[in-house]
Protein backbone atom coordinates (compact mmCIF):
# COMPACT_ATOMS: atom_id res chain seq x y z
CA UNK A 1 0.00 0.00 0.00
CA UNK A 2 1.37 3.44 -0.94
CA UNK A 3 0.44 5.04 2.38
CA UNK A 4 2.35 2.37 4.30
CA UNK A 5 5.41 2.86 2.08
CA UNK A 6 5.19 6.60 2.65
CA UNK A 7 5.13 6.14 6.43
CA UNK A 8 8.05 3.70 6.31
CA UNK A 9 10.10 6.12 4.18
CA UNK A 10 9.45 8.99 6.61
CA UNK A 11 10.30 6.79 9.60
CA UNK A 12 13.55 5.68 7.95
CA UNK A 13 14.55 9.24 7.03
CA UNK A 14 13.82 10.65 10.50
CA UNK A 15 15.63 7.78 12.20
CA UNK A 16 18.66 8.26 9.98
CA UNK A 17 18.84 12.06 9.79
CA UNK A 18 17.26 13.42 12.99
CA UNK A 19 19.21 12.13 15.99
CA UNK A 20 17.62 14.64 18.39
CA UNK A 21 14.24 12.86 18.45
CA UNK A 22 12.75 9.52 19.35
CA UNK A 23 10.06 8.66 16.86
CA UNK A 24 6.79 7.47 18.43
CA UNK A 25 4.51 7.13 15.39
CA UNK A 26 4.01 8.17 11.78
CA UNK A 27 0.56 8.11 10.21
CA UNK A 28 -0.62 8.97 6.72
CA UNK A 29 -4.01 10.65 6.42
CA UNK A 30 -5.14 10.90 2.77
CA UNK A 31 -7.08 14.02 1.79
CA UNK A 32 -8.50 13.26 -1.68
CA UNK A 33 -10.48 16.52 -1.77
CA UNK A 34 -7.24 18.51 -1.72
CA UNK A 35 -5.19 15.91 -3.58
CA UNK A 36 -2.65 15.40 -0.83
CA UNK A 37 -1.62 13.16 2.04
CA UNK A 38 -1.21 14.68 5.50
CA UNK A 39 1.54 13.11 7.58
CA UNK A 40 1.07 13.00 11.34
CA UNK A 41 4.44 12.59 13.05
CA UNK A 42 4.54 11.93 16.79
CA UNK A 43 7.93 12.19 18.47
CA UNK A 44 9.68 13.33 21.61
CA UNK A 45 13.06 14.94 22.13
CA UNK A 46 15.97 12.88 23.35
CA UNK A 47 17.63 13.92 26.59
CA UNK A 48 21.22 13.66 25.41
CA UNK A 49 23.37 15.47 22.92
CA UNK A 50 24.10 13.42 19.82
CA UNK A 51 27.46 13.82 18.07
CA UNK A 52 25.60 13.48 14.75
CA UNK A 53 23.53 16.59 15.46
CA UNK A 54 23.96 19.27 12.86
CA UNK A 55 23.60 22.84 14.07
CA UNK A 56 23.26 25.73 11.66
CA UNK A 57 23.81 29.21 13.03
CA UNK A 58 21.08 31.69 12.22
CA UNK A 59 21.94 35.31 12.73
CA UNK A 60 19.11 37.74 13.22
CA UNK A 61 19.45 41.25 11.90
CA UNK A 62 17.40 44.25 12.82
CA UNK A 63 15.29 45.88 10.13
CA UNK A 64 17.69 48.85 10.14
CA UNK A 65 20.70 46.58 9.49
CA UNK A 66 18.90 44.92 6.59
CA UNK A 67 18.05 48.33 5.08
CA UNK A 68 21.66 49.52 5.45
CA UNK A 69 22.97 46.41 3.68
CA UNK A 70 20.39 46.77 0.90
CA UNK A 71 21.38 50.42 0.36
CA UNK A 72 25.07 49.48 0.27
CA UNK A 73 24.30 46.81 -2.35
CA UNK A 74 22.41 49.37 -4.46
CA UNK A 75 25.36 51.81 -4.26
CA UNK A 76 27.83 49.11 -5.30
CA UNK A 77 25.64 47.99 -8.21
CA UNK A 78 25.25 51.62 -9.31
CA UNK A 79 29.03 52.19 -9.20
CA UNK A 80 29.58 49.04 -11.28
CA UNK A 81 27.02 50.19 -13.83
CA UNK A 82 28.73 53.60 -14.14
CA UNK A 83 32.15 51.97 -14.56
CA UNK A 84 30.76 49.67 -17.26
CA UNK A 85 29.33 52.64 -19.15
CA UNK A 86 32.67 54.48 -18.90
CA UNK A 87 34.48 51.50 -20.41
CA UNK A 88 31.97 51.17 -23.22
Amino acid sequence: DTLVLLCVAVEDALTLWEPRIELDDVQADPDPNRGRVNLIIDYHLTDSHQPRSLVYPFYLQSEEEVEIEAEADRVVRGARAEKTLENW
Side-chain angles (χ1 to χ4, degrees):
D1 182 39
T2 303
L3 296 176
V4 172
L5 291 175
L6 182 61
C7 288
V8 169
V10 169
E11 288 173 6
D12 289 347
L14 288 173
T15 301
L16 179 64
W17 294 106
E18 188 45 84
R20 298 171 294 177
I21 67 168
E22 288 290 328
L23 197 57
D24 297 323
D25 191 30
V26 176
Q27 297 176 12
D29 179 28
D31 186 351
N33 294 331
R34 293 186 177 170
R36 69 182 189 190
V37 174
N38 297 313
L39 293 172
I40 298 101
I41 302 170
D42 293 321
Y43 66 93
H44 62 274
L45 298 175
T46 59
D47 292 331
S48 64
H49 172 72
Q50 294 286 327
R52 296 186 307 135
S53 294
L54 300 176
V55 178
Y56 297 96
F58 291 96
Y59 300 101
L60 301 178
Q61 292 180 311
S62 69
E63 187 175 335
E64 181 181 352
E65 291 171 320
V66 171
E67 290 174 5
I68 290 170
E69 284 185 15
E71 180 60 27
D73 287 343
R74 283 191 291 274
V75 169
V76 169
R77 281 195 308 270
R80 285 184 191 149
E82 288 177 14
K83 189 156 190 84
T84 301
L85 289 175
E86 289 174 5
N87 291 337
W88 199 20

